[in-house]
Amino acid sequence: LSLDEEWGPMRKHLLEAMRDAKHYQKEESIITAFQGCGAIIVCPESDQVVSRSFDEWSSKLQEGHAKNEDQKELLLRNPLNTPAMLAIQGVSRIERQLASGKGMDSDSFKNGQYLCTGYDVYLSKEPGVFESMALVHSRVRRVIFCMINKDDGGLGGTGSAVSVHELPGTNHRFRA
């Protein structure tokens, strides 16, 4: 597809990522921890959202991971609970549900060896270095973000030399 043809779906999904970020704005502690970021993962073949970070955050709260404010604070401090990581966890949850009861030798399991193979990730803010490497390991197709991350952006949005997705020693790269 040309950029003109891709722009419509990209714009639509970037707006979805921005809406995902707005869900977090109900609570001050979440805004501070997530810095207004939202993340969604999209299957480009079907143009459907596969996972939303806020949905995963909500499911963690509903599953009883945060029975009180202290436990919720611990969830917020957990480095695995950033919007990008939560969206990846959402894909993982879906893959586990699909392969459940079929065993590790099933086609459902074998086809999902890398969680996000071929998926596009849309973020309202550039992912940090840690999140960027998680996206490399997840084998995403590309990452599209709205705002640069001046603090620890991992995809070169600030023009810095840090572009995790282009490191020479990695065995996977994606477009950003």
Side-chain angles (χ1 to χ4, degrees), residues 131-161:
E131 296 164 309
S132 297
M133 186 53 81
L135 292 166
V136 168
H137 287 295
S138 296
R139 302 297 199 262
V140 300
R141 181 177 81 136
R142 65 182 176 179
V143 175
I144 299 101
F145 58 90
C146 291
M147 299 175 289
I148 61 171
N149 181 344
K150 295 176 186 173
D151 299 324
D152 73 336
L155 299 179
T158 60
S160 72

Side-chain angles (χ1 to χ4, degrees), residues 17-38 54 57 72 76 83 124 147:
M18 298 299 279
R19 278 193 278 286
D20 191 68
K22 287 186 182 221
H23 287 297
Y24 292 112
Q25 294 181 356
K26 295 175 184 168
E27 295 186 51
E28 185 68 34
S29 60
I30 296 175
I31 295 171
T32 303
F34 293 166
Q35 299 175 350
C37 186
F54 188 76
W57 175 254
K72 189 173 184 179
L76 285 170
S124 56
M147 299 175 289

Side-chain angles (χ1 to χ4, degrees), residues 24 29-30 32-35 53 56-57 60-61 65-66 69-87 89 130-131 134 152:
Y24 292 112
S29 60
I30 296 175
T32 303
F34 293 166
Q35 299 175 350
S53 67
E56 289 309 302
W57 175 254
K60 282 182 183 281
L61 296 178
H65 291 284
E69 287 302 313
D70 289 339
Q71 289 177 341
K72 189 173 184 179
E73 184 64 29
L74 287 174
L75 276 178
L76 285 170
R77 289 186 195 179
N78 184 336
L80 298 177
N81 287 337
T82 66
M85 297 299 290
L86 286 166
Q89 290 171 36
F130 172 72
E131 296 164 309
D152 73 336

Side-chain angles (χ1 to χ4, degrees), residues 33-54:
F34 293 166
Q35 299 175 350
C37 186
I40 64 168
I41 297 179
V42 174
C43 174
E45 291 176 9
S46 65
D47 197 36
Q48 297 296 310
V49 174
V50 177
S51 178
R52 298 173 191 277
S53 67
F54 188 76

Side-chain angles (χ1 to χ4, degrees), residues 109-122:
F109 182 80
K110 288 179 182 176
N111 289 338
Q113 290 297 307
Y114 295 104
L115 288 176
C116 301
T117 300
Y119 288 165
D120 293 342
V121 180
Y122 292 85

